[in-house]
Amino acid sequence: MNDESLDDLVALYRQGARERTTPRVDGLVLALAERAARRRRVTAWSVRLVTATAAAVVLSLALYAMRARPVTVAEGESPVPGLRDVSTRAYLQRMDVTPGASTTQQYLMVDTSPTDGRL
């Protein structure tokens, strides 16, 4: 590259650097940018809405599937599993359940197992 062509390139660069767009073009560019930003906001909002709705439906279905069903107990039976037959009930009613006198016996009488509904 010679000095003349380099001078021409520098002159073109400076001319391009000094160019200004018209207010109409600036307005069009800003309007397009605003429209694109608004479209992104609407799209993000609709994606969040769809996601929240889907999550609510999934949770509703899970809760519906896990709902508590009433336990049916036949007439004359006890809802406690160990008391269903007459002989077991009579045996359990005769048991001595008074707490022991020593601290060790009292400690052993305390239930320290986790309560998860099982007997």
Side-chain angles (χ1 to χ4, degrees), residues 10 12 15 37 39 49 52-53 57 61 69 71 83 86 98 104 106 109-110:
V10 170
L12 286 173
Q15 179 186 357
R39 190 176 311 131
L49 179 66
T53 305
V57 168
L61 291 175
R69 293 178 179 88
V71 177
L83 299 178
V86 177
T98 57
T104 304
Q106 290 177 1
M109 294 295 287
V110 174

Side-chain angles (χ1 to χ4, degrees), residues 17-92:
R18 281 188 234 114
E19 286 183 3
R20 299 281 180 221
T21 58
T22 62
R24 181 177 176 274
V25 172
D26 285 342
L28 287 174
V29 169
L30 289 174
L32 288 173
E34 185 178 333
R35 189 177 313 146
R38 190 178 318 122
R39 190 176 311 131
R40 270 188 239 119
R41 279 194 301 261
V42 169
T43 303
W45 181 82
S46 62
V47 166
R48 288 183 187 125
L49 179 66
V50 168
T51 304
T53 305
V57 168
V58 168
L59 285 175
S60 298
L61 291 175
L63 290 174
Y64 178 76
M66 294 173 38
R67 70 186 185 282
R69 293 178 179 88
V71 177
T72 57
V73 178
E75 190 175 329
E77 285 190 358
S78 171
V80 180
L83 299 178
R84 290 197 177 177
D85 60 273
V86 177
S87 62
T88 305
R89 185 180 313 137
Y91 170 74
L92 290 174

Side-chain angles (χ1 to χ4, degrees), residues 104-118:
T104 304
Q105 289 174 333
Q106 290 177 1
Y107 172 76
L108 292 174
M109 294 295 287
V110 174
D111 183 19
T112 57
S113 64
T115 57
D116 60 353
R118 290 184 282 164

